Amino acid sequence: MDKNLALLTDFYELTMMNGYLQNGMADKIAVFDLFFRQGRESTFCIACGLEQAIDYVKNISFGNDEIEYLRSLGTFGEDFLQRLKNFKFSGSIKAIPEGTVVFPNEPLMVVKASVFEAQLLEAALLNIVNFQTLIATKSARVVRSARGRGVLEFGLRRAQAPDAATYGARAAIIGGCVATSNVLASQMFGTDPKGTHAHSWVMSFDNEISAFRAYAELYPTNCLLLIDTYDTLKSGLPNAIKVFKELRQRGYEPTGVRLDSGDLAYLTKETRKILDKEGFPNAKIFVSGDLDEYTIESLYVQGAQIDVYGVGTRLITSHSNPSLGGVYKIAEFDGKPKLKISDNAIKITNPGEKEIFRIYDGQTKMAVADLLCLKDEKIDFTKPLTITHPRDRWKKFTISNYFVKPLYAEVMKDGKDVYKRPSVQELQAYCTSSLNEFWSEYKRLDKPQVYKVDLSDKLYELKQELLAKGGKK
């Protein structure tokens, strides 16, 4: 990120920071957890946005323009403004790597720093991580529904502004899309942009076949024709086949055809029959047009003949679930665990600085549960492990043949960036690997099984103690 994002924050973050300073609290160490609550559609998410989050944190700098603007508000004294002028993050951050399958109430990032520094990060970190995690998750769901067929991200024109289009494309590729139509995103993240022509190309010529011939002349090695401008089966497909035969006479094979409208199940089945009959069994059928995981699932059930999906609006906006309920909550202050209490059980937080371990069945190598425990807690993973429901403690099972993996990686230490940045392609491969560690029951679209995320006995007891004392140690 090359823009100064120091003021990308909610105003109350600044008023709280000033309050900490005026009350002599600014240098006390706090631990904040960034996590999401229960999702609307999926029981899991794909962690994403960490690279941009770290870039934001390490580049925070209040220049003269920012300081003068804050001074003009008349809210803050010169001691606070001077502190901002000298601001540089000096704390530490650990995080779950991008591309990892994650679950509600698991901190994706843990920020440990002076409360003055840690408080400033809240709004921007949530903005960055919430959005990319949301889109990566949507992408993973769409890709899973495609059952091995390629999915292209086509959302640039429908995204909410350029950054959403660009970083949404990044998240979509991490979630499993094979490429994006967004040329800027392709340049930034090292992929090849995909796309051919629109209806306007066909409509700019006197007739459809002239448009197809002109396109085939220009791009003989990647001739993909959009055939639904006028009539898919009576005009578009017959004209495409004529051009494909001409192309073959020149020594080239067509890439395929694209449909963007109509009854895609029926049209693709008919198109496949005709392409095969006319001698083009290797020509691919691409489809687009307000697709999402539910539409793709339906097309599969109907036997649609589709090789590649172009998914735009409903992916880049996460249409059916347009926001992630990510929050940033204090878990420890000045060495003391902190707990937020609510009448709504889902909003009660988990106290203290924590670690997360993923538990795998030793025989199948599949993930069976995650375990949240306190940072300094010693757990003997050489003994049988009992997994307990985080709230209904009578629900439990014991596993003997298992192994564990810690989920956190250190990404900032004493203000220094220690994050090793994988390529987007490496993150996509890692995401695929992470998803493959979970049984399909947890990933189905309709009523997925809820994955077990346990609190260690020590963490559970601390939580109950703080609840009994009204949240105070």
Side-chain angles (χ1 to χ4, degrees):
M1 294 185 176
D2 55 4
K3 294 179 287 187
N4 188 343
L5 301 181
L7 294 183
L8 184 66
T9 189
D10 291 317
F11 189 58
Y12 80 166
E13 312 291 6
L14 297 173
T15 59
M16 283 189 286
M17 292 164 65
N18 186 43
Y20 295 139
L21 183 64
Q22 303 310 319
N23 283 277
M25 303 162 60
D27 294 318
K28 293 186 181 296
I29 301 300
V31 175
F32 281 84
D33 291 341
L34 188 157
F35 61 95
F36 65 95
R37 298 189 177 114
Q38 188 169 345
R40 298 178 191 174
E41 290 183 306
S42 177
T43 61
F44 71 90
C45 283
I46 303 297
C48 200
L50 178 59
E51 181 175 326
Q52 286 68 46
I54 297 306
D55 286 345
Y56 154 74
V57 173
K58 74 175 188 178
N59 289 312
I60 296 172
S61 175
F62 289 85
N64 290 334
D65 289 347
E66 289 76 30
I67 296 299
E68 284 305 313
Y69 171 72
L70 293 176
R71 182 177 286 119
S72 73
L73 300 178
T75 302
F76 307 111
E78 290 302 315
D79 55 345
F80 177 69
L81 297 177
Q82 186 61 40
R83 179 104 180 205
L84 289 184
K85 193 171 183 178
N86 296 325
F87 187 97
K88 180 174 174 55
F89 183 76
S90 62
S92 298
I93 300 176
K94 60 185 181 183
I96 298 176
E98 292 188 270
T100 305
V101 174
V102 290
F103 297 93
N105 301 312
E106 295 183 335
L108 278 60
M109 299 181 70
V110 178
V111 177
K112 187 172 186 177
S114 71
V115 70
F116 188 89
E117 295 178 7
Q119 191 70 67
L120 177 64
L121 309 186
E122 176 177 5
L125 287 184
L126 287 172
N127 174 272
I128 295 166
V129 174
N130 273 345
F131 175 69
Q132 288 202 49
T133 298
L134 183 74
I135 302 305
T137 305
K138 189 70 169 180
S139 173
R141 288 165 58 83
V142 169
V143 168
R144 177 171 169 77
S145 294
R147 290 175 169 80
R149 273 70 172 179
V151 177
L152 303 173
E153 188 280 312
F154 277 3
L156 171 58
R157 65 194 61 192
R158 302 288 174 78
Q160 282 91 345
D163 276 358
T166 302
Y167 291 105
R170 176 185 187 272
I173 293 171
I174 291 171
C177 287
V178 297
T180 175
S181 66
N182 185 330
V183 181
L184 176 60
S186 297
Q187 179 200 37
M188 290 173 63
F189 307 123
T191 66
D192 292 330
K194 299 297 181 183
T196 53
H197 68 81
H199 297 105
S200 56
W201 172 265
V202 178
M203 297 164 69
S204 297
F205 287 78
D206 290 339
N207 52 62
E208 188 175 51
I209 196 164
S210 295
F212 287 175
R213 282 174 173 150
Y215 196 84
E217 182 68 27
L218 282 170
Y219 308 108
T221 61
N222 185 28
C223 184
L224 176 67
L225 300 176
L226 179 61
I227 62 174
D228 71 333
T229 303
Y230 301 119
D231 189 304
T232 299
L233 297 180
K234 292 181 180 180
S235 173
L237 183 57
N239 283 328
I241 288 171
K242 289 179 185 177
V243 172
F244 289 169
K245 290 180 178 179
E246 295 168 359
L247 195 65
R248 180 174 281 172
Q249 289 176 350
R250 294 165 53 200
Y252 300 101
E253 285 297 311
T255 299
V257 297
R258 178 164 75 92
L259 293 84
D260 188 54
S261 61
D263 184 338
L264 294 178
Y266 168 73
L267 290 174
T268 57
K269 285 187 280 189
E270 292 301 305
T271 296
R272 183 76 273 158
K273 289 178 189 175
I274 296 170
L275 284 172
D276 290 353
K277 180 181 177 182
E278 294 292 336
F280 296 98
N282 295 323
K284 296 184 184 303
I285 298 175
F286 293 65
V287 300
S288 53
D290 287 332
L291 302 176
D292 61 12
E293 66 267 48
Y294 302 105
T295 308
I296 293 172
E297 183 78 12
S298 175
L299 288 169
Y300 171 80
V301 170
Q302 295 173 72
Q305 297 296 300
I306 298 168
D307 298 293
V308 180
Y309 296 89
V311 186
T313 304
R314 298 191 176 200
L315 170 55
I316 203 66
T317 64
S318 190
H319 182 269
S320 54
N321 181 30
S323 64
L324 182 72
V327 294
Y328 185 83
K329 298 296 182 184
I330 195 165
E332 187 174 291
F333 182 75
D334 197 23
K336 298 176 182 178
K338 295 294 178 179
L339 174 78
K340 179 189 180 299
I341 296 179
S342 172
D343 289 337
N344 185 349
I346 199 171
K347 290 193 173 185
I348 299 175
T349 59
N350 291 317
E353 186 176 353
K354 294 170 286 292
E355 296 288 345
I356 306 177
F357 295 93
R358 184 148 289 166
I359 316 299
Y360 297 83
D361 181 272
Q363 182 175 356
T364 64
K365 315 301 182 189
M366 302 294 279
V368 295
D370 287 358
L371 178 65
L372 273 70
C373 59
L374 294 170
K375 182 177 182 297
D376 297 325
E377 190 172 351
K378 304 299 181 184
I379 298 177
D380 189 351
F381 289 121
T382 66
K383 296 180 179 180
L385 183 67
T386 298
I387 302 298
T388 308
H389 191 282
R391 192 172 60 249
D392 302 327
R393 303 301 278 184
W394 56 272
K395 296 180 181 179
K396 59 181 65 179
F397 72 92
T398 299
I399 185 169
S400 298
N401 181 10
Y402 69 95
F403 61 95
V404 305
K405 293 180 185 177
L407 292 190
Y408 284 131
E410 191 171 48
V411 296
M412 292 199 78
K413 183 176 182 180
D414 300 328
K416 293 182 173 58
D417 178 3
V418 295
Y419 178 56
K420 295 181 180 179
R421 287 160 168 71
S423 68
V424 168
Q425 293 75 20
E426 290 171 329
L427 289 171
Q428 183 190 76
Y430 176 73
C431 178
T432 300
S433 174
S434 184
L435 282 163
N436 286 340
E437 294 176 345
F438 293 85
W439 297 107
S440 59
E441 289 89 340
Y442 300 118
K443 297 179 287 188
R444 63 190 177 215
L445 298 183
D446 185 38
K447 298 178 181 178
Q449 178 71 9
V450 176
Y451 182 75
K452 301 167 183 64
V453 179
D454 185 17
L455 305 184
S456 71
D457 288 341
K458 191 171 181 180
L459 176 55
Y460 177 80
E461 289 163 5
L462 175 61
K463 186 172 184 177
Q464 298 308 307
E465 178 187 348
L466 293 178
L467 283 169
K469 294 180 179 178
K472 298 177 182 179
K473 182 72 171 172

